[in-house]
Amino acid sequence: EIKLGKVAVDAGIVELTQAQAVEALSALDILEGSGIGLVDACRLVKRMQESGIGDIAEIEHAFKLGAAQIRHEKKSPSWSEAAWEMVRVKEKITRRRERTLQQIRYMIRRMEKRCPDFCVRPIGGITGEECRAAFGRAFDSPIQQDKARVVFSGVWTLAMKRGWALSNPTRMLDALKTQEREIRALTPEEVERLLLACRPPLPDDSSQLDLTSVQPAVAILVFAGIRPEELMRLTWEDVSFEDGVITVRAAASKTGGARHVTICEALRAWLSLVPEKERKGAIIPEYWRSRWEAVRSREGWGKKKPWPKDVLRHTFASYHAKTYADFGKLQMEMGHRSAELLRNRYTNMAGLTGEMAKQFWKLKPSLGNQI
């Protein structure tokens, strides 16, 4: 009414009523010094009503929320600063493993390289849709993008604790539907050849290393499904022949929880090849990585025939599931948090028969395989 009245007055047609004039003067008095005109203030209120915020109480509440958000944005650090602070906390306070920290650092640097504009934004003002768009630009596959959602949720968790953000926008994002890549289990014949490759060198071997000391570690990877990084922290003191279990201590476990892994008859037979007096200290031998690579090379694994990542863990899980069909037990053995993810990622029954599973669990050393 004030706007129309002003136009009408300029045209010399009508004048404001006394009540309208008083209200207009009061409004102008309130806005004095704000740098905001009366018409702009009216337009702002109108836009809020058009967005579904109706009465004055709702409008006041919306202004309070908006003001709080703006204050957080002004005092909050950039996304990059918050992300690196999260790394510092994980390294110095929660003491996450170096391999985990390396993965997080890599992901942050990838974000900074591919989404520089996003990374300099105040973390308190970033929305869920902006997160989804940035993760999509920084990471190529849906699996990587979903991992970014999970990992970087921790950045906002820290930001909320520090008062840098009011909410965590990544929690509003749905998990992306992903297709796990299919990894076949090794055949019993391939497993046996791999174990028997842990031996002294033959004249025609490309590597003249004596690899017999690698055999116990390979047997544990095959018949216990223990993660390679967990294996590197195992000692012979963690192996109990009496109780029939290998203890993966919390300090050695990837997930941070201790667990017992069953020593099956085949694994017991291979581990028993090590003389009792030598069962001390680390399971893996000195120069483990190069020796393990040499074992695989003896069986033709290399550049022309790449070694599938985690294939021995996949092999154990597949034969265990085929034999026992007990995913709950398998989940406990492998130390996996999700039975569903375990079923999708680690078990592949394609081409795997019951007879093959029987052969797998019967793979034991012959008298000529003594270490």
Side-chain angles (χ1 to χ4, degrees):
E1 288 178 347
I2 293 171
K3 182 180 178 184
L4 292 174
K6 180 67 168 60
V7 173
V9 169
D10 289 344
I13 300 172
V14 295
E15 294 183 357
L16 295 174
T17 66
Q18 184 176 4
Q20 289 173 331
V22 170
E23 190 171 15
L25 289 172
S26 298
L28 290 170
D29 187 52
I30 292 171
L31 292 170
E32 186 177 1
S34 67
I36 300 173
L38 183 57
V39 174
D40 289 334
C42 292
R43 284 174 177 162
L44 178 60
V45 172
K46 185 65 175 177
R47 282 201 297 271
M48 296 188 75
Q49 289 181 327
E50 289 172 348
S51 67
I53 302 174
D55 58 31
I56 190 65
E58 289 182 339
I59 292 174
E60 288 181 351
H61 184 58
F63 274 120
K64 288 179 181 178
L65 291 177
Q69 180 66 33
I70 291 172
R71 285 196 299 271
H72 274 83
E73 289 185 27
K74 285 184 175 180
K75 72 176 184 179
S76 70
S78 68
W79 182 89
S80 281
E81 290 170 330
W84 288 114
E85 175 63 10
M86 179 190 71
V87 173
R88 188 194 69 80
V89 170
K90 289 182 179 294
E91 180 180 10
K92 303 296 184 182
I93 300 176
T94 59
R95 298 193 178 278
R96 298 297 296 273
R97 295 190 181 88
E98 182 56 31
R99 181 171 178 176
T100 300
L101 295 172
Q102 287 175 355
Q103 292 175 343
I104 297 174
R105 292 187 192 108
Y106 164 77
M107 294 178 72
I108 294 173
R109 293 189 183 104
R110 193 176 180 95
M111 287 285 291
E112 291 176 333
K113 181 178 180 180
R114 294 194 174 186
C115 308
D117 294 341
F118 176 90
C119 293
V120 298
R121 289 275 310 281
I123 191 169
I126 297 174
T127 67
E129 285 305 312
E130 289 172 328
C131 289
R132 176 67 79 199
F135 298 161
R137 293 197 306 273
F139 304 98
D140 300 325
S141 71
I143 292 178
Q144 292 174 326
Q145 292 167 21
D146 211 49
K147 184 175 182 179
R149 176 185 63 84
V150 175
V151 170
F152 293 142
S153 175
V155 179
W156 275 276
T157 299
L158 176 66
M160 291 170 67
K161 289 181 180 178
R162 300 287 172 84
W164 299 337
L166 291 173
S167 61
N168 185 343
T170 63
R171 292 179 181 172
M172 296 182 287
L173 303 179
D174 295 326
L176 296 176
K177 185 177 181 180
T178 59
Q179 181 66 46
E180 295 288 347
R181 59 193 178 93
E182 189 174 280
I183 298 179
R184 72 170 182 86
L186 297 185
T187 66
E189 292 77 15
E190 288 175 318
V191 172
E192 183 176 35
R193 289 198 301 269
L194 198 65
L195 286 163
L196 296 182
C198 304
R199 53 167 173 73
L202 298 177
D204 58 346
D205 282 338
S206 58
S207 171
Q208 290 298 300
L209 291 172
D210 185 347
L211 302 176
T212 51
S213 61
V214 181
Q215 199 172 70
V218 176
I220 289 175
L221 290 174
V222 170
F223 294 111
I226 288 176
R227 298 177 179 92
E229 58 268 29
E230 293 175 338
L231 172 70
M232 295 176 69
R233 293 186 282 268
L234 282 183
T235 67
W236 279 104
E237 288 69 30
D238 298 319
V239 179
S240 173
F241 287 92
E242 181 179 355
D243 296 331
V245 296
I246 296 174
T247 300
V248 181
R249 292 167 285 109
S253 171
K254 177 184 177 181
T255 57
R259 72 181 190 277
H260 284 158
V261 182
T262 302
I263 299 176
C264 66
E265 289 304 313
L267 179 56
R268 180 185 291 271
W270 288 100
L271 295 182
S272 296
L273 294 178
V274 180
E276 188 172 351
K277 63 181 180 180
E278 296 180 15
R279 299 173 194 167
K280 298 177 182 178
I283 297 287
I284 61 171
E286 193 175 15
Y287 307 114
W288 156 251
R289 294 185 187 278
S290 59
R291 290 176 183 273
W292 174 217
E293 183 179 353
V295 168
R296 301 196 303 266
S297 179
R298 281 183 179 178
E299 289 307 308
W301 299 98
K303 291 183 178 180
K304 294 183 179 180
K305 184 183 177 183
W307 178 257
K309 182 181 178 182
D310 291 332
V311 67
L312 296 185
R313 188 164 163 84
H314 283 265
T315 297
F316 168 80
S318 297
Y319 285 117
H320 192 288
K322 186 69 176 180
T323 303
Y324 303 107
D326 187 341
F327 281 96
K329 181 178 180 180
L330 181 58
Q331 181 182 356
M332 293 180 64
E333 294 276 348
M334 297 184 70
H336 215 283
R337 290 176 177 173
S338 168
E340 183 64 27
L341 188 59
L342 173 65
R343 185 182 289 106
N344 293 337
R345 177 175 295 178
Y346 287 105
T347 57
N348 181 7
M349 302 300 180
L352 196 152
T353 65
E355 184 59 34
M356 291 172 64
K358 290 180 182 179
Q359 293 176 17
F360 173 80
W361 297 112
K362 290 180 179 179
L363 288 175
K364 297 180 181 179
S366 63
L367 294 177
N369 300 135
Q370 297 289 336
I371 294 179

